[in-house]
Amino acid sequence: MLQRTAQHQPTPRERPLSQSRIVTYALGVGLASLIPFPIADSIVGGWLMQSLYGDLARLRGVSLNGKQKKTLVKRDGSFIWGCLVGGVVWLVKKLIKTLTVVLLVKEVVDEATLAIHRARMVDLALERGHLPGNEAKVQQAMTRLMAKYEGRILNRWLRRMETPRAELPVELGFGAQVMRWLHCRGGGAKLEEGFLQHLEESSSSEE
Protein backbone atom coordinates (compact mmCIF):
# COMPACT_ATOMS: atom_id res chain seq x y z
CA MET A 1 0.00 0.00 0.00
CA LEU A 2 1.24 3.47 -0.83
CA GLN A 3 2.61 5.25 2.23
CA ARG A 4 2.36 9.04 2.46
CA THR A 5 5.65 10.61 3.51
CA ALA A 6 4.65 13.89 5.08
CA GLN A 7 8.27 14.76 5.82
CA HIS A 8 9.08 14.94 2.12
CA GLN A 9 7.06 17.24 -0.07
CA PRO A 10 8.22 17.77 -3.66
CA THR A 11 9.35 21.29 -4.37
CA PRO A 12 8.18 23.16 -7.50
CA ARG A 13 11.68 22.69 -8.86
CA GLU A 14 11.39 18.91 -8.61
CA ARG A 15 8.05 18.50 -10.35
CA PRO A 16 9.06 19.49 -13.91
CA LEU A 17 11.90 16.96 -13.75
CA SER A 18 9.45 14.05 -13.94
CA GLN A 19 9.14 14.31 -17.73
CA SER A 20 12.86 14.43 -18.31
CA ARG A 21 13.34 11.48 -15.97
CA ILE A 22 10.71 9.47 -17.82
CA VAL A 23 12.46 10.13 -21.13
CA THR A 24 15.85 9.23 -19.67
CA TYR A 25 14.67 5.94 -18.21
CA ALA A 26 12.63 5.14 -21.32
CA LEU A 27 15.70 5.58 -23.53
CA GLY A 28 17.59 3.30 -21.16
CA VAL A 29 14.89 0.64 -21.52
CA GLY A 30 15.03 1.00 -25.27
CA LEU A 31 18.82 0.65 -25.33
CA ALA A 32 18.56 -2.38 -23.06
CA SER A 33 16.85 -4.23 -25.90
CA LEU A 34 20.18 -4.12 -27.74
CA ILE A 35 21.92 -6.27 -25.10
CA PRO A 36 23.13 -9.36 -27.02
CA PHE A 37 22.10 -11.91 -24.38
CA PRO A 38 18.72 -13.60 -23.95
CA ILE A 39 16.61 -12.47 -20.96
CA ALA A 40 19.30 -9.94 -19.91
CA ASP A 41 17.52 -7.15 -21.76
CA SER A 42 14.29 -7.91 -19.86
CA ILE A 43 16.10 -7.96 -16.51
CA VAL A 44 17.86 -4.64 -17.13
CA GLY A 45 14.70 -3.09 -18.55
CA GLY A 46 12.67 -4.24 -15.54
CA TRP A 47 15.24 -2.82 -13.12
CA LEU A 48 15.18 0.54 -14.92
CA MET A 49 11.37 0.64 -14.80
CA GLN A 50 11.39 -0.10 -11.07
CA SER A 51 13.85 2.74 -10.54
CA LEU A 52 11.67 5.04 -12.63
CA TYR A 53 8.53 4.19 -10.66
CA GLY A 54 10.40 4.82 -7.42
CA ASP A 55 11.57 8.23 -8.64
CA LEU A 56 8.10 9.21 -9.81
CA ALA A 57 6.64 8.24 -6.43
CA ARG A 58 9.21 10.32 -4.55
CA LEU A 59 8.48 13.32 -6.75
CA ARG A 60 4.82 12.99 -5.82
CA GLY A 61 5.58 12.84 -2.14
CA VAL A 62 4.97 9.11 -1.64
CA SER A 63 7.12 5.99 -1.60
CA LEU A 64 6.93 2.55 -3.20
CA ASN A 65 8.59 -0.45 -1.62
CA GLY A 66 10.36 -3.16 -3.61
CA LYS A 67 7.35 -5.47 -3.76
CA GLN A 68 5.08 -2.72 -5.03
CA LYS A 69 7.53 -1.75 -7.75
CA LYS A 70 7.97 -5.39 -8.83
CA THR A 71 4.19 -5.75 -9.06
CA LEU A 72 3.99 -2.71 -11.32
CA VAL A 73 6.76 -4.07 -13.54
CA LYS A 74 5.38 -7.61 -13.65
CA ARG A 75 3.90 -8.72 -16.95
CA ASP A 76 1.18 -11.28 -17.55
CA GLY A 77 2.14 -14.90 -18.24
CA SER A 78 4.31 -17.48 -16.52
CA PHE A 79 8.02 -16.94 -16.13
CA ILE A 80 8.96 -20.12 -18.03
CA TRP A 81 6.65 -19.31 -20.93
CA GLY A 82 7.91 -15.76 -20.92
CA CYS A 83 11.49 -17.00 -21.09
CA LEU A 84 10.69 -19.32 -23.99
CA VAL A 85 8.83 -16.67 -25.94
CA GLY A 86 11.44 -14.08 -25.05
CA GLY A 87 14.22 -16.38 -26.21
CA VAL A 88 12.56 -17.02 -29.57
CA VAL A 89 11.78 -13.33 -30.08
CA TRP A 90 15.33 -12.40 -29.11
CA LEU A 91 16.76 -14.91 -31.60
CA VAL A 92 14.56 -13.63 -34.43
CA LYS A 93 15.41 -10.01 -33.62
CA LYS A 94 19.13 -10.72 -33.56
CA LEU A 95 18.95 -12.61 -36.85
CA ILE A 96 17.10 -9.71 -38.46
CA LYS A 97 19.60 -7.20 -37.06
CA THR A 98 22.53 -9.31 -38.25
CA LEU A 99 21.01 -9.67 -41.72
CA THR A 100 20.36 -5.93 -41.85
CA VAL A 101 23.98 -5.16 -40.97
CA VAL A 102 25.27 -7.66 -43.56
CA LEU A 103 23.06 -6.18 -46.28
CA LEU A 104 24.11 -2.67 -45.30
CA VAL A 105 27.80 -3.56 -45.48
CA LYS A 106 27.23 -5.27 -48.84
CA GLU A 107 25.50 -2.17 -50.19
CA VAL A 108 28.36 0.07 -49.06
CA VAL A 109 30.98 -2.23 -50.61
CA ASP A 110 28.95 -2.59 -53.82
CA GLU A 111 28.50 1.15 -54.29
CA ALA A 112 32.17 1.82 -53.54
CA THR A 113 33.28 -0.87 -55.99
CA LEU A 114 31.00 0.39 -58.77
CA ALA A 115 32.23 3.93 -58.17
CA ILE A 116 35.83 2.70 -58.50
CA HIS A 117 34.96 0.94 -61.77
CA ARG A 118 33.41 4.12 -63.20
CA ALA A 119 36.34 6.25 -62.05
CA ARG A 120 38.79 3.83 -63.64
CA MET A 121 36.95 3.93 -66.98
CA VAL A 122 36.90 7.73 -66.95
CA ASP A 123 40.62 7.71 -66.16
CA LEU A 124 41.26 5.39 -69.11
CA ALA A 125 39.25 7.67 -71.39
CA LEU A 126 41.30 10.63 -70.22
CA GLU A 127 44.53 8.68 -70.69
CA ARG A 128 43.62 7.65 -74.25
CA GLY A 129 42.53 11.16 -75.23
CA HIS A 130 38.79 10.46 -75.50
CA LEU A 131 38.09 13.06 -72.82
CA PRO A 132 37.33 15.89 -72.80
CA GLY A 133 35.13 16.16 -75.86
CA ASN A 134 33.28 12.84 -76.00
CA GLU A 135 31.48 12.83 -72.67
CA ALA A 136 28.19 11.50 -74.02
CA LYS A 137 29.83 8.56 -75.81
CA VAL A 138 32.00 7.70 -72.81
CA GLN A 139 28.99 7.84 -70.52
CA GLN A 140 26.98 5.59 -72.83
CA ALA A 141 29.85 3.11 -73.01
CA MET A 142 30.14 3.06 -69.21
CA THR A 143 26.42 2.52 -68.78
CA ARG A 144 26.33 -0.30 -71.35
CA LEU A 145 29.30 -2.10 -69.82
CA MET A 146 28.10 -1.72 -66.22
CA ALA A 147 24.83 -3.34 -67.27
CA LYS A 148 26.59 -6.11 -69.21
CA TYR A 149 29.31 -7.07 -66.72
CA GLU A 150 28.77 -7.99 -63.09
CA GLY A 151 30.93 -5.61 -61.09
CA ARG A 152 29.87 -6.46 -57.52
CA ILE A 153 32.25 -8.61 -55.52
CA LEU A 154 29.81 -10.85 -53.63
CA ASN A 155 27.64 -11.38 -56.71
CA ARG A 156 30.68 -12.47 -58.70
CA TRP A 157 31.76 -14.81 -55.92
CA LEU A 158 28.32 -16.42 -55.69
CA ARG A 159 28.32 -16.98 -59.44
CA ARG A 160 31.87 -18.39 -59.33
CA MET A 161 33.01 -15.82 -61.86
CA GLU A 162 36.69 -15.43 -62.69
CA THR A 163 38.50 -12.37 -61.40
CA PRO A 164 41.56 -11.77 -63.61
CA ARG A 165 44.04 -9.27 -62.25
CA ALA A 166 43.66 -5.74 -63.59
CA GLU A 167 46.79 -3.90 -64.63
CA LEU A 168 46.79 -0.91 -62.31
CA PRO A 169 49.64 1.47 -61.54
CA VAL A 170 51.32 0.54 -58.25
CA GLU A 171 50.68 3.15 -55.60
CA LEU A 172 51.67 2.98 -51.95
CA GLY A 173 49.20 3.44 -49.13
CA PHE A 174 46.35 1.53 -47.55
CA GLY A 175 43.71 3.39 -49.57
CA ALA A 176 45.39 2.48 -52.84
CA GLN A 177 45.55 -1.18 -51.79
CA VAL A 178 41.85 -1.20 -50.96
CA MET A 179 41.04 0.45 -54.29
CA ARG A 180 43.06 -2.13 -56.26
CA TRP A 181 41.53 -5.02 -54.31
CA LEU A 182 37.95 -3.86 -54.86
CA HIS A 183 38.54 -3.12 -58.52
CA CYS A 184 40.19 -6.48 -59.23
CA ARG A 185 37.74 -8.55 -57.18
CA GLY A 186 34.87 -6.75 -58.83
CA GLY A 187 35.95 -7.83 -62.29
CA GLY A 188 37.71 -4.61 -63.15
CA ALA A 189 39.94 -6.28 -65.73
CA LYS A 190 36.96 -7.41 -67.82
CA LEU A 191 35.38 -3.99 -67.58
CA GLU A 192 38.58 -2.27 -68.69
CA GLU A 193 38.99 -4.64 -71.61
CA GLY A 194 35.42 -4.15 -72.78
CA PHE A 195 35.60 -0.39 -72.28
CA LEU A 196 38.80 0.03 -74.27
CA GLN A 197 37.44 -2.18 -77.04
CA HIS A 198 34.29 -0.07 -77.19
CA LEU A 199 36.33 3.14 -77.40
CA GLU A 200 38.46 1.74 -80.21
CA GLU A 201 35.41 0.61 -82.16
CA SER A 202 33.79 4.00 -81.64
CA SER A 203 36.92 5.78 -82.90
CA SER A 204 37.18 3.49 -85.92
CA SER A 205 33.56 4.11 -86.91
CA GLU A 206 34.09 7.85 -86.76
CA GLU A 207 37.06 7.61 -89.12
Side-chain angles (χ1 to χ4, degrees):
M1 187 174 181
L2 299 182
Q3 302 292 329
R4 286 283 172 181
T5 54
Q7 68 275 16
H8 175 73
Q9 294 296 328
T11 64
R13 186 178 181 181
E14 286 180 303
R15 287 186 181 277
L17 293 177
S18 61
Q19 295 184 16
S20 61
R21 292 193 183 192
I22 290 173
V23 171
T24 301
Y25 278 103
L27 289 175
V29 173
L31 292 174
S33 66
L34 300 177
I35 297 176
F37 301 103
I39 313 304
D41 53 349
S42 298
I43 294 175
V44 174
W47 176 79
L48 288 171
M49 292 306 297
Q50 289 187 50
S51 301
L52 171 58
Y53 295 154
D55 280 357
L56 292 177
R58 281 191 294 273
L59 288 173
R60 292 301 180 184
V62 297
S63 63
L64 294 172
N65 60 38
K67 184 178 180 180
Q68 291 168 328
K69 289 186 288 186
K70 287 181 180 178
T71 301
L72 291 171
V73 172
K74 183 179 179 181
R75 297 185 180 182
D76 294 334
S78 67
F79 177 75
I80 296 178
W81 178 250
C83 289
L84 291 174
V85 174
V88 173
V89 172
W90 174 85
L91 180 60
V92 172
K93 287 167 59 179
K94 297 308 175 185
L95 288 175
I96 292 175
K97 289 179 181 179
T98 301
L99 180 60
T100 301
V101 172
V102 170
L103 292 177
L104 179 61
V105 172
K106 180 184 181 300
E107 182 180 2
V108 172
V109 174
D110 285 347
E111 290 300 320
T113 305
L114 296 178
I116 290 172
H117 292 334
R118 294 188 184 97
R120 177 58 178 160
M121 285 188 282
V122 169
D123 183 62
L124 285 172
L126 289 167
E127 180 184 346
R128 301 302 173 93
H130 295 280
L131 288 177
N134 297 291
E135 289 77 15
K137 291 183 179 180
V138 170
Q139 189 275 333
Q140 290 174 3
M142 290 169 57
T143 301
R144 187 177 295 110
L145 287 168
M146 295 296 285
K148 179 180 179 181
Y149 293 100
E150 178 57 71
R152 293 165 294 183
I153 296 175
L154 182 59
N155 296 45
R156 293 184 63 85
W157 180 78
L158 291 174
R159 297 180 185 181
R160 299 292 191 272
M161 301 175 71
E162 295 182 1
T163 54
R165 187 177 182 83
E167 296 298 329
L168 290 172
V170 178
E171 182 179 335
L172 300 178
F174 178 73
Q177 292 178 0
V178 172
M179 183 267 182
R180 288 196 296 271
W181 189 86
L182 291 175
H183 185 59
C184 292
R185 291 295 178 180
K190 287 288 185 181
L191 278 171
E192 290 183 18
E193 180 183 352
F195 183 69
L196 291 175
Q197 182 179 356
H198 183 85
L199 291 181
E200 291 175 1
E201 292 175 355
S202 177
S203 299
S204 300
S205 62
E206 289 179 356
E207 294 176 359

